[in-house]
Amino acid sequence: MKHNGWRKPTPGLVVAEQHAQAGERLAVPKTQAIVACKKVASALGLKAPDLLLLDTLAAATQAQDWEKDRRPIVWASNEFLTAQCGFSLSALRRHVRRLCEMGIIAMKDSANGKRWGRRDEDGYIVQAYGFDLSPLAARASEFEACYAAISEERRLCKVLKSTLTVTRRMIRAKIEKAIESRLRGPWLALSEEFETMLRRLPRRSTSSENLMHLVDWFRAFCDRVDKAFSAAFDGSQDSDSPTVANSLEREDVALDMTPRDAVSGTHILTTNEPDPVTCNRFETKHAAGAVPKDHPIVPVENQERDGPEIEWNTHTKRRRSKVDVPTLMGSCPQFAETARSLEGYIRDWNHLHRAAARIRPIVGISEDAWNIAQRKLGPEIAAAAIALIFDKTSDGEIQSPGGYLRGMVEKAAAGELHLDRSIYGRLSESRAP
């Protein structure tokens, strides 16, 4: 158990001894001290072999060694440590020196340079020389505070990255639509500038401060794209503008700039159906067409009678809802803005479904998940789900939009999907003072 000679004092060793003296005055459980250190290991610069040695030393201590006015000292031999850790002797010395210099452990040397110790009949250390783990007790609160700061930084970076991704996708969608529809505006120049911005994005992880600057940068650019997009459609009201008019005919952009309540002429509806009027609600043709006409539909009791009832079909488990397009657009404002920029005025569920199909890849939902949702939920409810997911993703509430949509489908199959509650809930929150 001979020690490898007298060690030269260094600033790191002096600080480690100071931590050891402070740790002796504290009562910190072994598990708390070791876990706190491991949580910030990467921030401290500790490597896997360092942690392996630390675990081996901690395993040789007992609970009473971490009580107040005591020190958890380990006098294990080099032969034992090299066998347990799989290190060579030189590697063991290197990792011990590293832990000491970083103030994780301290060394208590005997007069003859040997590591030894003894315990009394109650298991308490009477006298010992070797590796002192008291600095871990002294720095446990420091490590926990450091981990809290690291966790907050990671959370903030995750939110900022999500915001940056959504902003980039919105910019690309609008530029590509403008170029595809041959709208007026500096779209080629904006496209080139956008590609330059993308090339300047950091390839590796960066700080939240840098991400904030990037988000501001891309949002400012997104505002410029929005203004150019709005200006192009404002110019489309000029009948002498052949470029915009031809693009609307060719690409079927289907923009309706007429206010909702304005009526420019008499609308005459010709039909042989006895009751041709339908409301703009979730109860659409996909739900009615999915069930044979002679199959009974069981209404839920205690529903209001002033509007379409919520109904369940015993075969498909699909639910009808009172939510209409204006309510959905009001509860999901970010989806509404993007949908109008892509499809123009959203008149009904057909327009909204078409907008949802185009926004779906922007938010990162696969075509397979989208097709499953349409088949299981129906086109309109699937479109409403996309609207809700888009806004939640933009707000940083959802990290996996595709998985969230699949979860909705699973809930619907079990009869547990309450999409209207979520929509009305978001609408109430947005109107709260």
mmCIF file of all heavy atoms in Angstrom, residues 6-52:
data_model
loop_
_atom_site.group_PDB
_atom_site.id
_atom_site.type_symbol
_atom_site.label_atom_id
_atom_site.label_comp_id
_atom_site.label_asym_id
_atom_site.label_seq_id
_atom_site.Cartn_x
_atom_site.Cartn_y
_atom_site.Cartn_z
ATOM 1 N N TRP A 6 6.150 11.799 -2.034
ATOM 2 C CA TRP A 6 5.551 13.054 -1.597
ATOM 3 C C TRP A 6 5.077 13.832 -2.811
ATOM 4 O O TRP A 6 5.789 13.982 -3.783
ATOM 5 C CB TRP A 6 6.590 13.868 -0.814
ATOM 6 C CG TRP A 6 6.988 13.217 0.472
ATOM 7 C CD1 TRP A 6 8.121 12.519 0.705
ATOM 8 C CD2 TRP A 6 6.237 13.178 1.674
ATOM 9 N NE1 TRP A 6 8.163 12.033 1.967
ATOM 10 C CE2 TRP A 6 6.995 12.437 2.617
ATOM 11 C CE3 TRP A 6 5.007 13.686 2.077
ATOM 12 C CZ2 TRP A 6 6.564 12.200 3.900
ATOM 13 C CZ3 TRP A 6 4.584 13.454 3.370
ATOM 14 C CH2 TRP A 6 5.356 12.714 4.263
ATOM 15 N N ARG A 7 3.888 14.359 -2.705
ATOM 16 C CA ARG A 7 3.324 15.105 -3.835
ATOM 17 C C ARG A 7 3.627 16.593 -3.670
ATOM 18 O O ARG A 7 3.663 17.109 -2.540
ATOM 19 C CB ARG A 7 1.816 14.863 -3.953
ATOM 20 C CG ARG A 7 0.997 15.439 -2.848
ATOM 21 C CD ARG A 7 -0.439 14.950 -2.889
ATOM 22 N NE ARG A 7 -0.541 13.605 -2.362
ATOM 23 C CZ ARG A 7 -0.707 12.529 -3.132
ATOM 24 N NH1 ARG A 7 -0.781 12.646 -4.441
ATOM 25 N NH2 ARG A 7 -0.799 11.331 -2.581
ATOM 26 N N LYS A 8 3.840 17.260 -4.777
ATOM 27 C CA LYS A 8 4.104 18.693 -4.743
ATOM 28 C C LYS A 8 2.781 19.446 -4.617
ATOM 29 O O LYS A 8 1.844 19.152 -5.342
ATOM 30 C CB LYS A 8 4.831 19.131 -6.018
ATOM 31 C CG LYS A 8 6.198 18.491 -6.192
ATOM 32 C CD LYS A 8 6.845 18.966 -7.486
ATOM 33 C CE LYS A 8 8.213 18.315 -7.671
ATOM 34 N NZ LYS A 8 8.862 18.733 -8.939
ATOM 35 N N PRO A 9 2.704 20.395 -3.726
ATOM 36 C CA PRO A 9 1.457 21.150 -3.580
ATOM 37 C C PRO A 9 1.201 22.015 -4.814
ATOM 38 O O PRO A 9 2.108 22.650 -5.348
ATOM 39 C CB PRO A 9 1.690 22.012 -2.329
ATOM 40 C CG PRO A 9 3.176 22.124 -2.218
ATOM 41 C CD PRO A 9 3.743 20.843 -2.765
ATOM 42 N N THR A 10 -0.029 22.024 -5.255
ATOM 43 C CA THR A 10 -0.459 22.843 -6.395
ATOM 44 C C THR A 10 -1.712 23.601 -5.977
ATOM 45 O O THR A 10 -2.360 23.256 -4.971
ATOM 46 C CB THR A 10 -0.780 21.973 -7.618
ATOM 47 O OG1 THR A 10 -1.914 21.129 -7.308
ATOM 48 C CG2 THR A 10 0.413 21.104 -8.011
ATOM 49 N N PRO A 11 -2.086 24.654 -6.702
ATOM 50 C CA PRO A 11 -3.314 25.381 -6.358
ATOM 51 C C PRO A 11 -4.532 24.466 -6.301
ATOM 52 O O PRO A 11 -5.392 24.628 -5.427
ATOM 53 C CB PRO A 11 -3.438 26.411 -7.484
ATOM 54 C CG PRO A 11 -2.028 26.650 -7.928
ATOM 55 C CD PRO A 11 -1.353 25.317 -7.794
ATOM 56 N N GLY A 12 -4.587 23.471 -7.210
ATOM 57 C CA GLY A 12 -5.722 22.556 -7.204
ATOM 58 C C GLY A 12 -5.784 21.708 -5.952
ATOM 59 O O GLY A 12 -6.853 21.496 -5.369
ATOM 60 N N LEU A 13 -4.630 21.231 -5.494
ATOM 61 C CA LEU A 13 -4.581 20.400 -4.293
ATOM 62 C C LEU A 13 -4.922 21.212 -3.046
ATOM 63 O O LEU A 13 -5.573 20.706 -2.127
ATOM 64 C CB LEU A 13 -3.205 19.762 -4.153
ATOM 65 C CG LEU A 13 -2.803 18.766 -5.249
ATOM 66 C CD1 LEU A 13 -1.398 18.232 -4.985
ATOM 67 C CD2 LEU A 13 -3.798 17.619 -5.321
ATOM 68 N N VAL A 14 -4.496 22.478 -3.033
ATOM 69 C CA VAL A 14 -4.820 23.347 -1.892
ATOM 70 C C VAL A 14 -6.322 23.584 -1.817
ATOM 71 O O VAL A 14 -6.929 23.514 -0.743
ATOM 72 C CB VAL A 14 -4.064 24.686 -2.013
ATOM 73 C CG1 VAL A 14 -4.534 25.661 -0.932
ATOM 74 C CG2 VAL A 14 -2.565 24.464 -1.898
ATOM 75 N N VAL A 15 -6.954 23.844 -2.973
ATOM 76 C CA VAL A 15 -8.408 24.061 -3.007
ATOM 77 C C VAL A 15 -9.148 22.786 -2.606
ATOM 78 O O VAL A 15 -10.146 22.832 -1.876
ATOM 79 C CB VAL A 15 -8.846 24.518 -4.413
ATOM 80 C CG1 VAL A 15 -10.364 24.536 -4.534
ATOM 81 C CG2 VAL A 15 -8.284 25.899 -4.710
ATOM 82 N N ALA A 16 -8.644 21.621 -3.054
ATOM 83 C CA ALA A 16 -9.275 20.350 -2.699
ATOM 84 C C ALA A 16 -9.260 20.136 -1.189
ATOM 85 O O ALA A 16 -10.240 19.672 -0.599
ATOM 86 C CB ALA A 16 -8.561 19.199 -3.407
ATOM 87 N N GLU A 17 -8.146 20.480 -0.518
ATOM 88 C CA GLU A 17 -8.062 20.337 0.934
ATOM 89 C C GLU A 17 -9.025 21.298 1.638
ATOM 90 O O GLU A 17 -9.633 20.952 2.655
ATOM 91 C CB GLU A 17 -6.625 20.596 1.397
ATOM 92 C CG GLU A 17 -6.432 20.529 2.907
ATOM 93 C CD GLU A 17 -6.889 19.208 3.528
ATOM 94 O OE1 GLU A 17 -6.828 18.162 2.835
ATOM 95 O OE2 GLU A 17 -7.309 19.222 4.697
ATOM 96 N N GLN A 18 -9.182 22.498 1.087
ATOM 97 C CA GLN A 18 -10.137 23.442 1.661
ATOM 98 C C GLN A 18 -11.568 22.898 1.559
ATOM 99 O O GLN A 18 -12.360 23.015 2.500
ATOM 100 C CB GLN A 18 -10.030 24.793 0.954
ATOM 101 C CG GLN A 18 -8.720 25.518 1.210
ATOM 102 C CD GLN A 18 -8.577 26.783 0.371
ATOM 103 O OE1 GLN A 18 -9.384 27.039 -0.520
ATOM 104 N NE2 GLN A 18 -7.555 27.566 0.657
ATOM 105 N N HIS A 19 -11.891 22.294 0.419
ATOM 106 C CA HIS A 19 -13.205 21.673 0.262
ATOM 107 C C HIS A 19 -13.377 20.512 1.237
ATOM 108 O O HIS A 19 -14.467 20.302 1.786
ATOM 109 C CB HIS A 19 -13.387 21.171 -1.177
ATOM 110 C CG HIS A 19 -13.621 22.261 -2.171
ATOM 111 N ND1 HIS A 19 -14.501 23.294 -1.959
ATOM 112 C CD2 HIS A 19 -13.105 22.460 -3.416
ATOM 113 C CE1 HIS A 19 -14.510 24.101 -3.011
ATOM 114 N NE2 HIS A 19 -13.666 23.623 -3.911
ATOM 115 N N ALA A 20 -12.318 19.753 1.461
ATOM 116 C CA ALA A 20 -12.396 18.620 2.391
ATOM 117 C C ALA A 20 -12.693 19.092 3.807
ATOM 118 O O ALA A 20 -13.504 18.496 4.529
ATOM 119 C CB ALA A 20 -11.096 17.827 2.342
ATOM 120 N N GLN A 21 -12.057 20.195 4.239
ATOM 121 C CA GLN A 21 -12.306 20.727 5.575
ATOM 122 C C GLN A 21 -13.738 21.235 5.701
ATOM 123 O O GLN A 21 -14.377 21.057 6.742
ATOM 124 C CB GLN A 21 -11.313 21.849 5.866
ATOM 125 C CG GLN A 21 -9.863 21.383 5.972
ATOM 126 C CD GLN A 21 -8.886 22.540 6.116
ATOM 127 O OE1 GLN A 21 -9.300 23.702 6.211
ATOM 128 N NE2 GLN A 21 -7.586 22.229 6.126
ATOM 129 N N ALA A 22 -14.261 21.844 4.626
ATOM 130 C CA ALA A 22 -15.656 22.312 4.647
ATOM 131 C C ALA A 22 -16.625 21.135 4.657
ATOM 132 O O ALA A 22 -17.654 21.164 5.335
ATOM 133 C CB ALA A 22 -15.926 23.210 3.438
ATOM 134 N N GLY A 23 -16.304 20.080 3.891
ATOM 135 C CA GLY A 23 -17.176 18.910 3.840
ATOM 136 C C GLY A 23 -17.250 18.172 5.155
ATOM 137 O O GLY A 23 -18.265 17.530 5.466
ATOM 138 N N GLU A 24 -16.194 18.257 5.964
ATOM 139 C CA GLU A 24 -16.185 17.581 7.262
ATOM 140 C C GLU A 24 -17.246 18.165 8.194
ATOM 141 O O GLU A 24 -17.750 17.484 9.085
ATOM 142 C CB GLU A 24 -14.788 17.699 7.892
ATOM 143 C CG GLU A 24 -14.624 16.926 9.186
ATOM 144 C CD GLU A 24 -13.214 17.033 9.741
ATOM 145 O OE1 GLU A 24 -12.378 17.702 9.100
ATOM 146 O OE2 GLU A 24 -12.949 16.451 10.821
ATOM 147 N N ARG A 25 -17.606 19.436 7.971
ATOM 148 C CA ARG A 25 -18.579 20.105 8.842
ATOM 149 C C ARG A 25 -20.019 19.898 8.368
ATOM 150 O O ARG A 25 -20.946 20.462 8.947
ATOM 151 C CB ARG A 25 -18.265 21.598 8.897
ATOM 152 C CG ARG A 25 -16.894 21.912 9.503
ATOM 153 C CD ARG A 25 -16.717 23.390 9.755
ATOM 154 N NE ARG A 25 -16.684 24.159 8.515
ATOM 155 C CZ ARG A 25 -15.574 24.451 7.844
ATOM 156 N NH1 ARG A 25 -14.396 24.018 8.298
ATOM 157 N NH2 ARG A 25 -15.628 25.164 6.742
ATOM 158 N N LEU A 26 -20.211 19.104 7.293
ATOM 159 C CA LEU A 26 -21.541 18.886 6.732
ATOM 160 C C LEU A 26 -21.937 17.425 6.839
ATOM 161 O O LEU A 26 -21.081 16.538 6.938
ATOM 162 C CB LEU A 26 -21.571 19.321 5.260
ATOM 163 C CG LEU A 26 -21.244 20.791 4.974
ATOM 164 C CD1 LEU A 26 -21.172 21.011 3.470
ATOM 165 C CD2 LEU A 26 -22.276 21.713 5.601
ATOM 166 N N ALA A 27 -23.236 17.195 6.813
ATOM 167 C CA ALA A 27 -23.762 15.824 6.776
ATOM 168 C C ALA A 27 -24.536 15.668 5.472
ATOM 169 O O ALA A 27 -25.689 16.082 5.365
ATOM 170 C CB ALA A 27 -24.658 15.562 7.978
ATOM 171 N N VAL A 28 -23.888 15.113 4.462
ATOM 172 C CA VAL A 28 -24.498 14.921 3.148
ATOM 173 C C VAL A 28 -24.464 13.435 2.819
ATOM 174 O O VAL A 28 -23.387 12.821 2.843
ATOM 175 C CB VAL A 28 -23.735 15.719 2.058
ATOM 176 C CG1 VAL A 28 -24.373 15.494 0.698
ATOM 177 C CG2 VAL A 28 -23.729 17.202 2.402
ATOM 178 N N PRO A 29 -25.600 12.820 2.515
ATOM 179 C CA PRO A 29 -25.599 11.390 2.176
ATOM 180 C C PRO A 29 -24.702 11.081 0.988
ATOM 181 O O PRO A 29 -24.549 11.909 0.077
ATOM 182 C CB PRO A 29 -27.076 11.105 1.851
ATOM 183 C CG PRO A 29 -27.838 12.173 2.565
ATOM 184 C CD PRO A 29 -26.962 13.390 2.534
ATOM 185 N N LYS A 30 -24.118 9.904 1.011
ATOM 186 C CA LYS A 30 -23.200 9.518 -0.064
ATOM 187 C C LYS A 30 -23.868 9.570 -1.433
ATOM 188 O O LYS A 30 -23.292 10.107 -2.392
ATOM 189 C CB LYS A 30 -22.658 8.105 0.196
ATOM 190 C CG LYS A 30 -21.783 7.573 -0.936
ATOM 191 C CD LYS A 30 -21.129 6.255 -0.568
ATOM 192 C CE LYS A 30 -22.127 5.142 -0.419
ATOM 193 N NZ LYS A 30 -21.464 3.820 -0.232
ATOM 194 N N THR A 31 -25.070 9.029 -1.533
ATOM 195 C CA THR A 31 -25.757 8.992 -2.831
ATOM 196 C C THR A 31 -25.986 10.390 -3.375
ATOM 197 O O THR A 31 -25.770 10.651 -4.559
ATOM 198 C CB THR A 31 -27.105 8.254 -2.690
ATOM 199 O OG1 THR A 31 -26.873 6.933 -2.214
ATOM 200 C CG2 THR A 31 -27.802 8.187 -4.023
ATOM 201 N N GLN A 32 -26.425 11.316 -2.517
ATOM 202 C CA GLN A 32 -26.672 12.685 -2.960
ATOM 203 C C GLN A 32 -25.399 13.331 -3.486
ATOM 204 O O GLN A 32 -25.404 14.008 -4.526
ATOM 205 C CB GLN A 32 -27.233 13.509 -1.799
ATOM 206 C CG GLN A 32 -27.497 14.975 -2.159
ATOM 207 C CD GLN A 32 -27.980 15.782 -0.960
ATOM 208 O OE1 GLN A 32 -28.345 15.216 0.078
ATOM 209 N NE2 GLN A 32 -27.975 17.093 -1.090
ATOM 210 N N ALA A 33 -24.291 13.136 -2.775
ATOM 211 C CA ALA A 33 -23.024 13.753 -3.179
ATOM 212 C C ALA A 33 -22.517 13.183 -4.501
ATOM 213 O O ALA A 33 -22.093 13.934 -5.395
ATOM 214 C CB ALA A 33 -21.978 13.545 -2.086
ATOM 215 N N ILE A 34 -22.582 11.858 -4.672
ATOM 216 C CA ILE A 34 -22.074 11.231 -5.894
ATOM 217 C C ILE A 34 -22.963 11.579 -7.092
ATOM 218 O O ILE A 34 -22.466 11.928 -8.174
ATOM 219 C CB ILE A 34 -21.987 9.704 -5.717
ATOM 220 C CG1 ILE A 34 -21.006 9.347 -4.581
ATOM 221 C CG2 ILE A 34 -21.547 9.048 -7.013
ATOM 222 C CD1 ILE A 34 -19.594 9.802 -4.829
ATOM 223 N N VAL A 35 -24.281 11.511 -6.915
ATOM 224 C CA VAL A 35 -25.206 11.814 -8.018
ATOM 225 C C VAL A 35 -25.079 13.268 -8.454
ATOM 226 O O VAL A 35 -25.098 13.577 -9.651
ATOM 227 C CB VAL A 35 -26.652 11.481 -7.604
ATOM 228 C CG1 VAL A 35 -27.643 12.015 -8.634
ATOM 229 C CG2 VAL A 35 -26.832 9.985 -7.440
ATOM 230 N N ALA A 36 -24.943 14.176 -7.487
ATOM 231 C CA ALA A 36 -24.799 15.593 -7.830
ATOM 232 C C ALA A 36 -23.562 15.827 -8.693
ATOM 233 O O ALA A 36 -23.594 16.605 -9.653
ATOM 234 C CB ALA A 36 -24.713 16.425 -6.552
ATOM 235 N N CYS A 37 -22.473 15.127 -8.353
ATOM 236 C CA CYS A 37 -21.246 15.269 -9.150
ATOM 237 C C CYS A 37 -21.414 14.686 -10.545
ATOM 238 O O CYS A 37 -20.982 15.274 -11.534
ATOM 239 C CB CYS A 37 -20.087 14.606 -8.413
ATOM 240 S SG CYS A 37 -18.506 14.707 -9.264
ATOM 241 N N LYS A 38 -22.071 13.533 -10.644
ATOM 242 C CA LYS A 38 -22.239 12.879 -11.939
ATOM 243 C C LYS A 38 -23.101 13.701 -12.884
ATOM 244 O O LYS A 38 -22.896 13.695 -14.106
ATOM 245 C CB LYS A 38 -22.848 11.498 -11.745
ATOM 246 C CG LYS A 38 -21.884 10.457 -11.212
ATOM 247 C CD LYS A 38 -22.541 9.092 -11.172
ATOM 248 C CE LYS A 38 -21.556 8.011 -10.764
ATOM 249 N NZ LYS A 38 -22.182 6.676 -10.768
ATOM 250 N N LYS A 39 -24.101 14.401 -12.347
ATOM 251 C CA LYS A 39 -24.996 15.180 -13.199
ATOM 252 C C LYS A 39 -24.274 16.302 -13.936
ATOM 253 O O LYS A 39 -24.690 16.700 -15.017
ATOM 254 C CB LYS A 39 -26.129 15.768 -12.356
ATOM 255 C CG LYS A 39 -27.194 14.749 -11.951
ATOM 256 C CD LYS A 39 -28.312 15.426 -11.166
ATOM 257 C CE LYS A 39 -29.429 14.447 -10.828
ATOM 258 N NZ LYS A 39 -30.502 15.105 -10.049
ATOM 259 N N VAL A 40 -23.202 16.807 -13.347
ATOM 260 C CA VAL A 40 -22.463 17.903 -13.987
ATOM 261 C C VAL A 40 -21.091 17.433 -14.460
ATOM 262 O O VAL A 40 -20.194 18.260 -14.665
ATOM 263 C CB VAL A 40 -22.322 19.088 -13.011
ATOM 264 C CG1 VAL A 40 -23.681 19.680 -12.691
ATOM 265 C CG2 VAL A 40 -21.611 18.655 -11.719
ATOM 266 N N ALA A 41 -20.930 16.131 -14.617
ATOM 267 C CA ALA A 41 -19.617 15.596 -14.992
ATOM 268 C C ALA A 41 -19.113 16.187 -16.296
ATOM 269 O O ALA A 41 -17.942 16.575 -16.415
ATOM 270 C CB ALA A 41 -19.694 14.069 -15.093
ATOM 271 N N SER A 42 -19.994 16.260 -17.305
ATOM 272 C CA SER A 42 -19.556 16.778 -18.605
ATOM 273 C C SER A 42 -19.186 18.251 -18.506
ATOM 274 O O SER A 42 -18.227 18.706 -19.150
ATOM 275 C CB SER A 42 -20.660 16.581 -19.643
ATOM 276 O OG SER A 42 -21.845 17.247 -19.248
ATOM 277 N N ALA A 43 -19.930 19.011 -17.691
ATOM 278 C CA ALA A 43 -19.609 20.432 -17.527
ATOM 279 C C ALA A 43 -18.285 20.620 -16.801
ATOM 280 O O ALA A 43 -17.544 21.577 -17.074
ATOM 281 C CB ALA A 43 -20.730 21.135 -16.776
ATOM 282 N N LEU A 44 -17.971 19.713 -15.889
ATOM 283 C CA LEU A 44 -16.703 19.785 -15.160
ATOM 284 C C LEU A 44 -15.528 19.280 -15.986
ATOM 285 O O LEU A 44 -14.372 19.549 -15.653
ATOM 286 C CB LEU A 44 -16.796 18.968 -13.869
ATOM 287 C CG LEU A 44 -17.798 19.449 -12.809
ATOM 288 C CD1 LEU A 44 -17.859 18.469 -11.653
ATOM 289 C CD2 LEU A 44 -17.422 20.830 -12.305
ATOM 290 N N GLY A 45 -15.828 18.532 -17.033
ATOM 291 C CA GLY A 45 -14.763 17.969 -17.851
ATOM 292 C C GLY A 45 -14.347 16.582 -17.412
ATOM 293 O O GLY A 45 -13.273 16.098 -17.817
ATOM 294 N N LEU A 46 -15.151 15.924 -16.602
ATOM 295 C CA LEU A 46 -14.828 14.565 -16.154
ATOM 296 C C LEU A 46 -15.136 13.560 -17.255
ATOM 297 O O LEU A 46 -16.158 13.659 -17.946
ATOM 298 C CB LEU A 46 -15.634 14.215 -14.903
ATOM 299 C CG LEU A 46 -15.308 15.020 -13.638
ATOM 300 C CD1 LEU A 46 -16.250 14.625 -12.512
ATOM 301 C CD2 LEU A 46 -13.860 14.814 -13.223
ATOM 302 N N LYS A 47 -14.280 12.580 -17.399
ATOM 303 C CA LYS A 47 -14.449 11.531 -18.398
ATOM 304 C C LYS A 47 -14.985 10.262 -17.733
ATOM 305 O O LYS A 47 -15.025 10.147 -16.505
ATOM 306 C CB LYS A 47 -13.113 11.239 -19.096
ATOM 307 C CG LYS A 47 -12.430 12.466 -19.679
ATOM 308 C CD LYS A 47 -13.275 13.131 -20.753
ATOM 309 C CE LYS A 47 -12.546 14.339 -21.347
ATOM 310 N NZ LYS A 47 -13.359 15.025 -22.374
ATOM 311 N N ALA A 48 -15.364 9.299 -18.566
ATOM 312 C CA ALA A 48 -15.909 8.044 -18.047
ATOM 313 C C ALA A 48 -14.939 7.332 -17.105
ATOM 314 O O ALA A 48 -15.365 6.828 -16.047
ATOM 315 C CB ALA A 48 -16.317 7.136 -19.204
ATOM 316 N N PRO A 49 -13.628 7.241 -17.415
ATOM 317 C CA PRO A 49 -12.700 6.580 -16.470
ATOM 318 C C PRO A 49 -12.625 7.293 -15.128
ATOM 319 O O PRO A 49 -12.466 6.643 -14.081
ATOM 320 C CB PRO A 49 -11.356 6.621 -17.206
ATOM 321 C CG PRO A 49 -11.715 6.735 -18.658
ATOM 322 C CD PRO A 49 -12.941 7.573 -18.689
ATOM 323 N N ASP A 50 -12.740 8.644 -15.151
ATOM 324 C CA ASP A 50 -12.731 9.394 -13.895
ATOM 325 C C ASP A 50 -13.929 9.006 -13.029
ATOM 326 O O ASP A 50 -13.801 8.796 -11.815
ATOM 327 C CB ASP A 50 -12.765 10.902 -14.174
ATOM 328 C CG ASP A 50 -11.589 11.357 -15.020
ATOM 329 O OD1 ASP A 50 -10.486 10.808 -14.836
ATOM 330 O OD2 ASP A 50 -11.777 12.249 -15.863
ATOM 331 N N LEU A 51 -15.095 8.899 -13.654
ATOM 332 C CA LEU A 51 -16.299 8.537 -12.913
ATOM 333 C C LEU A 51 -16.229 7.095 -12.422
ATOM 334 O O LEU A 51 -16.747 6.775 -11.344
ATOM 335 C CB LEU A 51 -17.537 8.742 -13.797
ATOM 336 C CG LEU A 51 -17.812 10.185 -14.224
ATOM 337 C CD1 LEU A 51 -19.043 10.245 -15.115
ATOM 338 C CD2 LEU A 51 -18.009 11.078 -12.997
ATOM 339 N N LEU A 52 -15.622 6.211 -13.206
ATOM 340 C CA LEU A 52 -15.463 4.820 -12.775
ATOM 341 C C LEU A 52 -14.609 4.741 -11.519
ATOM 342 O O LEU A 52 -14.935 4.021 -10.560
ATOM 343 C CB LEU A 52 -14.834 4.001 -13.903
ATOM 344 C CG LEU A 52 -14.512 2.531 -13.582
ATOM 345 C CD1 LEU A 52 -15.783 1.788 -13.167
ATOM 346 C CD2 LEU A 52 -13.843 1.859 -14.773
#
